[in-house]
């Protein structure tokens, strides 16, 4: 079976992709990162004000964490802002993703760039509420919006194809018992 998805990457799609690339998709992981940052930033402040005295190694580690997290957020927001400016000035951001028995083919229809990845090269494919996040490696993820798939039948067909091709690396949408 061959499935072709054409869509225009929205500002929200791009933002979600950047958050996913920077901090992952798990809200628990994001909360843990925030708590760790708050703790280490607090330690730095307490050390600088003389309330506590950190060893040199702990001070350097705390400083690295205190600086790295905001740097990641700022870098991500700069990239989103650049995309927003291009998007609002008329950049088309048209994408095509083809899924078949061999793997996935990605085409940036705005620039003509394309590439393909066999199923074996997809490190993780996670389903979120509105998108599928296709992780190709530790630094590269592609967003496939469900709205770009046409209808729920095609979403279900894609989900089944992914379950068949990479069952150990597919993370379907977790249904909440509280809804």
């Amino acid at each position: 079976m061959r499935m072709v998805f054409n869509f225009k990457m929205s500002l929200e799609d791009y933002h979600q992709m950047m958050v996913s690339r920077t901090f992952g998709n798990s809200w628990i992981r994001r909360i843990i990162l925030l708590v760790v940052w708050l703790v280490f930033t607090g330690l730095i402040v307490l050390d600088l004000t003389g309330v506590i005295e950190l060893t040199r190694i702990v001070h350097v580690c705390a400083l690295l964490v205190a600086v790295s997290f905001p740097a990641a957020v700022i870098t991500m927001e700069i990239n989103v802002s650049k995309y927003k400016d291009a998007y609002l000035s008329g950049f088309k951001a048209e994408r095509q993703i083809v899924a078949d028995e061999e793997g996935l083919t990605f085409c940036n229809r705005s620039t003509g760039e394309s590439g393909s990845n066999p199923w074996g090269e997809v490190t993780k494919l996670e389903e979120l509420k509105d998108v599928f996040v296709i992780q190709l490696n530790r630094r590269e993820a592609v967003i496939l919006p469900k709205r770009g798939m046409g209808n729920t039948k095609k979403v279900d067909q894609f989900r089944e194809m992914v379950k068949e091709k990479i069952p150990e690396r597919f993370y379907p949408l977790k249904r909440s018992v509280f809804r």
Side-chain angles (χ1 to χ4, degrees):
M1 171 187 282
R2 184 172 197 258
M3 304 175 76
V4 179
F5 308 112
N6 292 299
F7 59 94
K8 183 174 179 178
M9 185 174 280
S10 70
L11 294 174
E12 180 57 35
D13 295 337
Y14 188 80
H15 187 265
Q16 191 165 5
M17 180 178 67
M18 292 305 296
V19 169
S20 173
R21 283 181 176 176
T22 307
F23 302 110
N25 295 322
S26 167
W27 64 271
I28 293 172
R29 178 179 176 188
R30 293 176 189 169
I31 289 172
I32 290 170
L33 286 171
L34 180 61
V35 169
V36 167
W37 175 74
L38 288 171
V39 167
F40 280 92
T41 301
L43 286 173
I44 287 293
V45 170
L46 292 173
D47 187 40
L48 293 174
T49 58
V51 175
I52 63 172
E53 188 173 333
L54 298 175
T55 66
R56 187 172 277 167
I57 291 174
V58 173
H59 180 87
V60 169
C61 290
L63 186 59
L64 284 171
V65 172
V67 171
S68 297
F69 185 79
V73 171
I74 290 167
T75 301
M76 179 189 73
E77 290 302 328
I78 288 171
N79 286 330
V80 169
S81 178
K82 286 179 181 178
Y83 183 82
K84 180 179 180 181
D85 291 345
Y87 186 87
L88 294 176
S89 69
F91 178 66
K92 298 292 182 217
E94 294 175 2
R95 306 284 191 258
Q96 181 181 70
I97 297 178
V98 177
D100 59 25
E101 294 299 314
E102 303 301 315
L104 299 164
T105 302
F106 306 97
C107 181
N108 182 335
R109 299 178 80 202
S110 306
T111 64
E113 297 174 47
S114 67
S116 59
N117 294 80
W119 288 110
E121 290 181 6
V122 176
T123 59
K124 179 170 127 178
L125 201 150
E126 186 170 2
E127 180 181 3
L128 302 178
K129 180 182 174 199
D130 298 319
V131 298
F132 288 95
V133 179
I134 305 165
Q135 197 75 37
L136 302 174
N137 56 48
R138 293 179 63 74
R139 298 273 307 139
E140 191 174 3
V142 177
I143 298 289
L144 173 55
K146 290 181 181 178
R147 65 175 164 66
M149 300 177 96
N151 57 47
T152 56
K153 181 180 177 187
K154 287 188 179 180
V155 171
D156 292 340
Q157 288 174 335
F158 180 73
R159 189 183 296 117
E160 290 305 314
M161 178 185 280
V162 172
K163 282 182 193 176
E164 176 189 321
K165 297 298 181 184
I166 54 169
E168 69 286 353
R169 291 171 292 176
F170 175 57
Y171 300 88
L173 182 64
K174 294 180 175 99
R175 308 284 181 206
S176 173
V177 295
F178 300 109
R179 282 195 231 184

